[in-house]
Short mmCIF file of all heavy atoms in Angstrom, two decimals:
data_model
loop_
_atom_site.label_atom_id
_atom_site.label_comp_id
_atom_site.label_asym_id
_atom_site.label_seq_id
_atom_site.Cartn_x
_atom_site.Cartn_y
_atom_site.Cartn_z
N LEU A 244 91.94 191.06 126.17
CA LEU A 244 91.65 191.45 124.80
C LEU A 244 92.92 191.41 123.96
O LEU A 244 94.01 191.71 124.45
CB LEU A 244 91.04 192.86 124.73
CG LEU A 244 89.55 192.97 125.09
CD1 LEU A 244 89.31 192.73 126.56
CD2 LEU A 244 89.00 194.33 124.67
N GLY A 245 92.76 191.05 122.68
CA GLY A 245 93.89 191.00 121.77
C GLY A 245 93.65 191.91 120.58
O GLY A 245 92.53 192.38 120.34
N PRO A 246 94.69 192.20 119.79
CA PRO A 246 94.54 193.08 118.63
C PRO A 246 93.59 192.48 117.61
O PRO A 246 93.66 191.29 117.30
CB PRO A 246 95.96 193.20 118.08
CG PRO A 246 96.68 192.00 118.60
CD PRO A 246 96.07 191.70 119.92
N ALA A 247 92.69 193.30 117.08
CA ALA A 247 91.74 192.84 116.08
C ALA A 247 92.40 192.84 114.72
O ALA A 247 93.24 193.69 114.40
CB ALA A 247 90.51 193.75 116.07
N GLY A 248 92.01 191.88 113.90
CA GLY A 248 92.53 191.78 112.55
C GLY A 248 91.48 192.13 111.52
O GLY A 248 90.37 192.59 111.84
N PHE A 255 92.83 186.19 107.09
CA PHE A 255 92.89 186.96 108.33
C PHE A 255 94.31 187.44 108.59
O PHE A 255 95.28 186.67 108.49
CB PHE A 255 92.41 186.12 109.51
CG PHE A 255 92.48 186.85 110.82
CD1 PHE A 255 91.47 187.69 111.22
CD2 PHE A 255 93.58 186.70 111.65
CE1 PHE A 255 91.53 188.37 112.42
CE2 PHE A 255 93.66 187.37 112.86
CZ PHE A 255 92.62 188.20 113.24
N VAL A 257 96.53 190.94 110.89
CA VAL A 257 96.49 192.17 111.67
C VAL A 257 97.21 193.25 110.88
O VAL A 257 98.36 193.07 110.46
CB VAL A 257 97.15 191.99 113.05
CG1 VAL A 257 97.25 193.33 113.78
CG2 VAL A 257 96.37 190.98 113.88
N ARG A 259 97.69 197.29 111.43
CA ARG A 259 97.41 198.46 112.26
C ARG A 259 97.28 199.74 111.46
O ARG A 259 96.88 200.77 112.02
CB ARG A 259 98.50 198.60 113.34
CG ARG A 259 98.47 197.45 114.36
CD ARG A 259 99.50 197.66 115.46
NE ARG A 259 99.51 196.57 116.42
CZ ARG A 259 98.68 196.46 117.45
NH1 ARG A 259 97.79 197.41 117.66
NH2 ARG A 259 98.75 195.43 118.28
N THR A 264 92.35 198.38 117.21
CA THR A 264 91.40 198.15 118.30
C THR A 264 91.71 196.81 118.94
O THR A 264 92.44 195.99 118.38
CB THR A 264 89.94 198.17 117.78
OG1 THR A 264 89.04 198.02 118.85
CG2 THR A 264 89.72 197.06 116.77
N ARG A 265 91.16 196.60 120.14
CA ARG A 265 91.33 195.33 120.84
C ARG A 265 89.97 194.68 121.01
O ARG A 265 88.98 195.37 121.31
CB ARG A 265 91.96 195.56 122.23
CG ARG A 265 93.33 196.20 122.20
CD ARG A 265 93.99 196.20 123.58
NE ARG A 265 93.28 196.96 124.58
CZ ARG A 265 93.47 198.25 124.82
NH1 ARG A 265 94.37 198.93 124.11
NH2 ARG A 265 92.81 198.89 125.78
N ILE A 266 89.91 193.36 120.85
CA ILE A 266 88.63 192.67 120.97
C ILE A 266 88.78 191.39 121.79
O ILE A 266 89.87 190.87 121.98
CB ILE A 266 88.03 192.31 119.60
CG1 ILE A 266 88.90 191.26 118.88
CG2 ILE A 266 87.85 193.55 118.74
CD1 ILE A 266 88.22 190.67 117.65
#
Side-chain angles (χ1 to χ4, degrees):
L244 282 70
F255 179 84
V257 174
R259 293 183 181 276
T264 183
R265 300 189 297 270
I266 67 169

